[in-house]
Every structure is written in structure tokens, then in C-alpha cells.
Amino acid sequence: KARSGATLEGLENRKKDLINTLRNDLNIEEKNLLENSDLKETEELPNVIEQEDKLDAKKNERDNLGAVNLRADEETLQYKDTIKKMEEDREDLVSAISKLRASINELNQKGRERIVEAFEKVNKKFNDVYTKLFNGGTAKLEFVESDDPLEAGLDMLVSPPGKRLQSITLLSGGEQALTALSLIFAVFLSNPAPICVLDEVDAPLDDANVTRFCSLLDELTKITETKFIIITHHALTMSKMDKLYGVTMPEKGISQLVSVDLQKAEELVA
């Protein structure tokens, strides 16, 4: 009896120590012990060794979490402020992107309308100028490779007198030069510029085509205010100009700029 009493007293002391540990470490009273455990609905208590192993596993899991960060609340507030600012910045960016896309769509729409409008004007003038230069035939422009005018390429389909409609790449050098000039002059007639510089454009042309080119140029100077500056070595082209500017070398190694006003020269001759 004395031995059993001593054992019982030891167990009671052990129980008190465990209860004090629970109260100090976990803030749990003895009456609330089962409510905070997984043994509340258990009729038969599990094996002590299994529970100790389970407890040791939980302790190891808790130790693996590392030390407690005492500034966690402050850092949480800082992160919340940072996240809130980032969300506001994101909303501003999304709104700006949306406005930018709307502006791009509006610009593209206006661009398509203006390109189609300009294309129709230039296409009509192109055919008119081509017909004058070639004394007949037809010429037209076509969008290729895409239905969207902003993405499409441009092809020139021409038909000189007596020939079938074909691409400009299949024409002779002189025909290609006249066709290109037709397009340039068509653009100038649609939207004249103050100055146009033509560099050796008459080089691949024969005398008959040079005469046509000069006649068309004379018409353009009458219906537009564009000043044409032509760099040429062709005598026929020079004879049709109002003024000539050239470089001569009266002495070896010395260049001199000379100019001739053909209109005044004709008056002097007369």
C-alpha cells in the first residue's frame, strides 16, 4: 500500500507538472484539455508511446519553422502598402494601355480612309498621265498581299498601246522609266510639292520619249507651282528648260559654274 501510495503521489506530481506546462506554454487549462486535442470523441485513450512519437513529430515540425519574427506585423503593413501602390500603378497602366489601343485603332481607321482616298486620286491621275506619255494604253495601281491598306503592298499594272496588261517588271527599260515617271507625276498632281528633283530620269529614253517627257513636264509647270530641277546630259531635255546651270573647266583643275537663261537668250537672238 505504501509503495502504491508513493507511485500515485509521483503520478499526481507528474500530472501537476504537465498541467503547469500546458498553462504556461499553451495557455490551456485542465478542463479545456480534451477540447484542444484530437481525443475529445475518443472513448479509449491511445497508446502513450504512439502519442509521444506524434508529439515529437509536431515539435520537430514547429522547430523547422524557425525563429519567430517579432517584426512580422510591421513588415506585413509595409508589404500591404507596397502591394496597394503596385495595384494602383497596375490599374493606371491598364487604363493607359486601353486608351493607347483605342487611339491606335482610331489612327489606323483614319489612316485607312486617307490611304484609300489618296490611292483613288493617284490611281486616276496615274492612268491619265500614262496615257499622255504613251499616246494611249492603260495603267492602274492595285493593293496586293493584304486586304488591309495599311499592311498591303502596291503593284503597277500597265498596258502600253498594242500590248496586254502586265506587271511593270516585264516592260523594257525605257517603258519602265516612263511608267515610273507617270506615277511620280500622278502623285505631284494629287498633292503638289514646291520642288521636284529629277536625276537622270531621261537616260534610258530615246529621243521620241524624251520629247513626250518634256512636253508633259511643260504642262505640269503650267498647272502646278512646282519647280522642277532636272539633272541631265540629254541635249533635247536641256533645250526645253528655262535655265541651265553647268560646270565647266576653262583651265585644268579649275571648275567654274556657269548659267544660261534660255528665255532671255531667245529674246536677245530675236
Side-chain angles (χ1 to χ4, degrees), residues 80 82-92:
K80 283 182 177 179
T82 303
I83 291 172
K84 183 179 180 181
K85 186 177 183 304
M86 291 174 67
E87 289 176 345
E88 292 175 353
D89 292 343
R90 180 183 179 279
E91 291 178 0
D92 291 341

Side-chain angles (χ1 to χ4, degrees), residues 70-87:
L70 299 179
R71 298 186 68 254
D73 289 342
E74 296 179 9
E75 292 178 357
T76 299
L77 293 176
Q78 292 177 358
Y79 287 134
K80 283 182 177 179
D81 293 340
T82 303
I83 291 172
K84 183 179 180 181
K85 186 177 183 304
M86 291 174 67
E87 289 176 345

Side-chain angles (χ1 to χ4, degrees), residues 24-269:
N24 295 331
D25 294 349
L26 303 178
N27 197 24
I28 296 176
E29 297 293 337
E30 180 182 3
K31 61 181 179 180
N32 301 325
L33 180 60
L34 291 179
E35 293 180 1
N36 291 280
S37 70
D38 56 354
L39 304 176
K40 184 176 181 181
E41 304 297 333
T42 304
E43 296 181 359
E44 188 173 331
L45 295 177
N47 185 276
V48 174
I49 297 177
E50 292 179 359
Q51 290 300 102
E52 288 180 349
D53 292 340
K54 188 175 180 181
L55 179 61
D56 290 339
K58 291 292 183 182
K59 287 181 179 179
N60 291 333
E61 185 178 343
R62 183 193 64 187
D63 293 339
N64 289 334
L65 294 176
V68 176
N69 183 6
L70 299 179
R71 298 186 68 254
D73 289 342
E74 296 179 9
E75 292 178 357
T76 299
L77 293 176
Q78 292 177 358
Y79 287 134
K80 283 182 177 179
D81 293 340
T82 303
I83 291 172
K84 183 179 180 181
K85 186 177 183 304
M86 291 174 67
E87 289 176 345
E88 292 175 353
D89 292 343
R90 180 183 179 279
E91 291 178 0
D92 291 341
L93 284 173
V94 170
S95 176
I97 290 172
S98 178
K99 292 180 180 178
L100 186 59
R101 284 177 175 168
S103 299
I104 290 173
N105 291 333
E106 185 178 355
L107 286 174
N108 286 343
Q109 182 61 32
K110 291 182 179 179
R112 290 186 185 94
E113 294 174 359
R114 295 183 65 176
I115 284 178
V116 171
E117 182 182 355
F119 174 81
E120 292 174 353
K121 289 181 180 179
V122 172
N123 198 14
K124 184 178 182 303
K125 296 289 185 183
F126 179 44
N127 183 67
D128 295 341
V129 175
Y130 185 88
T131 303
K132 286 184 180 180
L133 276 177
F134 282 85
N135 289 329
T138 58
K140 66 177 181 178
L141 301 172
E142 281 188 354
F143 287 125
V144 294
E145 299 176 359
S146 175
D147 294 332
D148 186 353
L150 295 178
E151 303 291 338
L154 197 64
D155 198 7
M156 288 186 283
L157 298 175
V158 295
S159 176
K163 295 184 180 180
R164 62 184 177 81
L165 193 68
Q166 56 189 334
S167 174
I168 187 176
T169 56
L170 301 177
L171 302 178
S172 65
E175 289 173 333
Q176 288 187 11
L178 281 181
T179 303
L181 285 171
S182 300
L183 182 58
I184 292 173
F185 291 149
V187 173
F188 269 89
L189 287 172
S190 301
N191 186 19
I195 296 177
C196 175
V197 180
L198 301 174
D199 187 1
E200 298 284 2
V201 297
D202 54 356
L205 305 180
D206 56 22
D207 289 349
N209 285 330
V210 169
T211 302
R212 294 177 188 171
F213 162 67
C214 292
S215 298
L216 179 62
L217 201 61
D218 187 49
E219 289 185 30
L220 290 175
T221 57
K222 293 177 181 178
I223 62 178
T224 68
E225 296 182 356
T226 301
K227 302 296 183 183
F228 289 94
I229 301 173
I230 302 176
I231 302 169
T232 181
H233 289 88
H234 206 291
L236 275 176
T237 306
M238 294 182 194
S239 67
K240 299 292 184 180
M241 298 298 104
D242 296 330
K243 293 181 180 180
L244 290 179
Y245 296 89
V247 178
T248 184
M249 191 178 291
E251 299 179 24
K252 188 176 180 180
I254 300 176
S255 298
Q256 182 179 353
L257 184 65
V258 295
S259 63
V260 178
D261 190 328
L262 295 184
Q263 291 180 342
K264 288 185 178 180
E266 289 178 357
E267 292 175 1
L268 289 174
V269 171

